[in-house]
Each structure stands twice: as C-alpha cells, then as structure tokens.
Amino acid sequence: MTTAHRPPPRVGVFGLLGSGNLGNDGSLEAVLGYLRAEHPEAAVDALCGGPEVVSARYGIPATRLHWYRGEYRTASRLGSIAGKGLGKLVDVVRTAAWVRRHDVVIVPGMGVLEATLPLRPWGFPYSLFLLCATGRLFGTKVALVGVGAAAIRDRATRALVRRSARLAAYRSYRDAMSRDAMRAMGVDTRRDEVYPDLAFALPTPRTSAPSGTPGGLVCVGVMDFHGGNDDRARAEEIHRRYLDGTTRFVRALVEDGRPVRLLTGDECDAAVVAAILDAVDSPLVTAAEATSLADLMKETAAADTVVATRYHNLVCALKAGTPTLALSYAAKSDALMDRMGLGAYCHPAREVDADRLLEQFRALEKRSAELRQTLAERNRLAARQLQGQFTALTAALFPANDHQHARTRQETP
C-alpha cells in the first residue's frame, strides 16, 4: 500500500530579524537549526526587518516587514507622516498575502509581548497583530515560540499584544514571569509552557580556556540604555547615569590592571562603546566586533568574568559557562540569572553605583570555580528542556509530517 504524497510544509519566520539585534537573530538561528534537523523538507522564508541580511546570512528568501522604509524613524514632516500612515494600510494587504502562502508561521523568541524598551503601539505590536489576525483568518498556524512578555501600561499596546497572543495557535515563553504577565493581561495560559531562551539551543563555540588566575580578562557588555517604555520623561537622565556608572566601573578595573573587552548586542550600542573608550584612554580597554551570538559566546567564553546589560549578552555569557554579573534593566534579566543559579549577582542598570558594582564583582570572582560548576549543570538541564520544546513544537505544528516521518523510520530496515 502506498502513502499519498504530501507537499512539503511551507514555513515562515517573522520578526525584527536581520535588523542589527544579535539576540533576535540568535533566536532565528536556533529555530532554523531545529527546522533543518527535524523538518528538512520544509520550505522556509521570512518576513522581517532586514531581509537582505537574513537572506545572505541564513540562505532563505526574505521579504521586508514594512512597505514604508522609514517605519522606525521619527516622523516629523508631513511627507513622512503620510508615508507611515499609508504604510499601515499597505502592510495589511502585504502581511495577509504573505501569511496566506504558509502552513505555519513561527515568531522565534524575542520580547515580542513586552514593552521593557521604548515602543509605540503602531510599530511592531501592530505588525504582530496583523500576523496573528491574518493567520487565524486563513487557517495558518502562528506560533509564538519561547517569547518574552511583561506587563504593559499603555492601553493601546496592551490591547494589541493581548489580542495577538489570543489569536496565536501556539505559545511558549522563555520564563515563568512572561507567562504570568500574559495571564494577568487576560490570556488563557493553561496550555502554555515555559522553556529556556532559544539561544541556549545554539552550539557553544570551542575556544581557549580563560587563564583562571587573578587579573584575567573581563568582558563588559554595554547597551544604549535609556530606560523603558514608561521612562520616556527621564530617558536622558537614566542614560547619563548608566553611562557614568559603567564608565567609572571600567576605569576602576583598568586601575587594578585588568584588561577589559567591551561587548555590544545591537548596532545602536556602538555610541556607548565609543564614549567609554574616549573616557578611559587605556590600551587595556578594547572593543569586540561581534556580528552574531556565536561571536559573543566566543568572547565571553575567553573571559574570566562578564558584566553585561543586554539580555542576550547575559545569555551568551551564561551559556559559555562564565561567571556573570547582570546590569539588570528588566525583570527578565533577574529571572534569567536566577534560573542559572546567579540570582545574587544583579545590579540595577537605572542606578549604576560603581563602588557597589565593584564589590559585587569581587564577590562573584571569589566564587568563580563554584559558579562555573553550577553553570555547567544548569546548561545541561537547559539543553534537555529545549529538546522538549522542539518535540512539543513538532507535535503542535507538524502532526501529519511527524506521523509520516515516524512511519518511514519504522519501515526502514
């Protein structure tokens, strides 16, 4: 008896991918790795912020997320305001046409259900709503996989995020507080699961081991930090305090003779690196030029200790097994550090106190060997949990293909 031929599943990936944020691209890379390993027959393409980058780097066709190319620039002139407004209408048609061509669309990780950084409702929240609404309309399964969420005060943004989550066919979160936040916003989360961040599924690069002796390399991950969505009135004050405290900390390390390697996680962080290099004029301070999470992991794996702000800088350092101190700008950073056994080593990014930070740093280094063992254990657990995530994803999104693969394996001698 022959089995009817099934066309390969058409899978789309969606988000602010290829736009300069290494964490977002790392989540995409993890999902593409899963698809290529478990569903190599799938035809995959993207609707994303940086289609040229995604196509060149990952070898998949990609379409620009927004019709209007100035979507994320401030609109001050009449022409740009009109362009943005027209773009919102055009994107309804463009998104619907793209979604309709797919069986499944995956939103890989990212903080798509949160507003911990400045965000307007008619920006990405609107795009996500279009995706989920047209997915429901055309019967395309939309999966929010390992995403971050947080309580949102702005009514319009909260409404779009809540509706998007309700319309999705599948949801999983990168921490328990994200699931709790969606429950608090009125989403039924009883079937939603929590797994480690998708970046923990990426391979850990091999690199030379750190010296293990006092005075070794310190990686300091910086961020163009201006507070969150609710801090717009204090944005410049917050940024100035963050930059001043971080600069003083780097200077103190240099005065102790410690080599410092500055890391970024987004293109916009380059200005902070430049400011620190200018303020701390020393050959002991250098800047990395990472273009992927793999690059960041190599940098953090070679360090004795890491102090970092951006969420995925923390992920890279923790996955590399390097003792890490978080300059925490949101509860997600605290939750990640707690999950990995380093919950005691968090410092508020909004109130960087260089002297207190230096005390925490020295306390962290005293426990370095013990914490490396803890991180090794937590990383093994994360790998097992993410394998469970991908198994659940296959069952939810590719049940027919999964059963077909199972029969094929059973029939193969």
Side-chain angles (χ1 to χ4, degrees):
M1 181 178 178
T2 60
T3 303
H5 173 72
R6 294 182 182 276
R10 301 162 298 175
V11 181
V13 289
F14 177 95
L16 294 178
L17 310 165
S19 301
N21 185 291
L22 301 187
N24 292 356
D25 291 354
S27 297
L28 169 62
E29 187 175 341
V31 165
L32 290 178
Y34 150 72
L35 290 171
R36 288 163 177 165
E38 300 296 329
H39 305 282
E41 78 289 355
V44 183
D45 72 313
L47 185 63
C48 60
E52 298 86 359
V53 172
V54 168
S55 291
R57 184 174 295 169
Y58 303 109
I60 61 174
T63 303
R64 185 171 296 280
L65 179 59
H66 301 290
W67 173 80
Y68 180 63
R69 289 178 176 265
E71 174 62 32
Y72 292 104
R73 293 196 297 267
T74 300
S76 56
R77 297 184 178 181
L78 183 60
S80 57
I81 293 173
K84 277 196 174 187
L86 177 61
K88 299 304 175 188
L89 298 177
V90 174
D91 284 344
V92 174
V93 179
R94 294 177 69 254
T95 302
W98 183 81
V99 169
R100 193 172 187 176
R101 297 198 299 268
H102 297 83
D103 302 300
V104 171
V105 173
I106 296 175
V107 180
M110 305 178 286
V112 297
L113 304 177
E114 64 183 41
T116 53
L117 296 176
L119 183 70
R120 299 295 189 186
W122 53 85
F124 188 77
Y126 174 77
S127 300
L128 183 66
F129 171 74
L130 289 183
L131 170 73
C132 296
T134 53
R136 180 64 64 92
L137 178 65
F138 296 124
T140 300
K141 295 178 181 178
V142 174
L144 309 180
V145 181
V147 298
I152 299 172
R153 291 186 183 181
D154 181 77
R155 294 180 64 180
T157 304
R158 184 173 65 247
L160 286 169
V161 165
R162 178 174 60 237
R163 191 59 180 163
S164 298
R166 286 175 172 172
L167 290 169
Y170 176 92
R171 295 181 299 269
S172 65
Y173 307 97
R174 63 189 180 193
D175 49 50
M177 70 168 202
S178 292
R179 182 172 60 184
D180 293 344
M182 294 314 298
R183 182 183 299 120
M185 283 194 279
V187 176
D188 183 356
T189 61
R190 287 176 292 180
R191 296 184 179 181
D192 300 352
E193 297 293 340
V194 173
Y195 300 97
D197 189 277
L198 286 169
F200 282 99
L202 296 173
T204 304
R206 295 181 180 180
T207 186
S208 57
S211 65
T213 59
L217 176 67
V218 182
C219 281
V220 177
V222 301
M223 180 177 178
D224 185 27
F225 180 59
H226 291 76
N229 213 42
D230 300 325
D231 298 318
R232 292 178 184 273
R234 300 175 51 234
E236 288 309 312
E237 174 195 345
I238 289 171
H239 179 68
R240 191 164 52 251
R241 183 171 295 183
Y242 168 79
L243 179 57
D244 179 65
T246 305
T247 301
R248 288 181 57 209
F249 174 70
V250 170
R251 185 179 291 116
L253 292 177
V254 169
E255 289 172 353
D256 284 345
R258 300 295 294 269
V260 176
R261 186 80 160 155
L262 300 178
L263 308 178
T264 61
D266 197 296
E267 292 173 352
C268 64
D269 300 334
V272 179
V273 170
I276 294 175
L277 289 173
D278 184 60
V280 187
D281 185 11
S282 169
L284 288 175
V285 186
T286 57
E289 296 183 359
T291 60
S292 67
L293 287 195
D295 290 343
L296 284 176
M297 285 185 203
K298 289 178 182 178
E299 296 282 354
T300 59
D304 279 12
T305 314
V306 175
V307 178
T309 311
R310 277 201 180 273
Y311 180 82
H312 276 95
N313 279 192
L314 296 176
V315 170
C316 288
L318 296 169
K319 180 169 173 54
T322 304
T324 301
L325 197 159
L327 288 175
S328 176
Y329 68 91
K332 62 184 179 183
S333 300
D334 299 333
L336 172 64
M337 293 289 284
D338 188 61
R339 174 192 281 269
M340 298 303 288
L342 278 77
Y345 300 102
C346 294
H347 189 97
R350 284 174 176 79
E351 304 286 344
V352 178
D353 180 329
D355 294 333
R356 173 60 182 150
L357 182 59
L358 199 58
E359 289 178 10
Q360 289 180 284
F361 172 80
R362 287 168 177 160
L364 175 74
E365 290 211 311
K366 287 180 180 178
R367 297 183 58 203
S368 179
E370 172 192 346
L371 294 176
R372 285 182 179 275
Q373 291 182 350
T374 298
L375 288 172
E377 294 169 0
R378 299 299 172 94
N379 275 306
R380 286 192 289 270
L381 175 60
R384 292 195 298 270
Q385 291 171 329
L386 279 170
Q387 187 54 53
Q389 158 78 108
F390 293 139
T391 299
L393 196 59
T394 289
L397 302 183
F398 307 99
N401 298 78
D402 185 43
H403 296 158
Q404 176 64 32
H405 291 166
R407 286 196 298 271
T408 302
R409 287 194 297 269
Q410 291 170 0
E411 293 169 3
T412 301

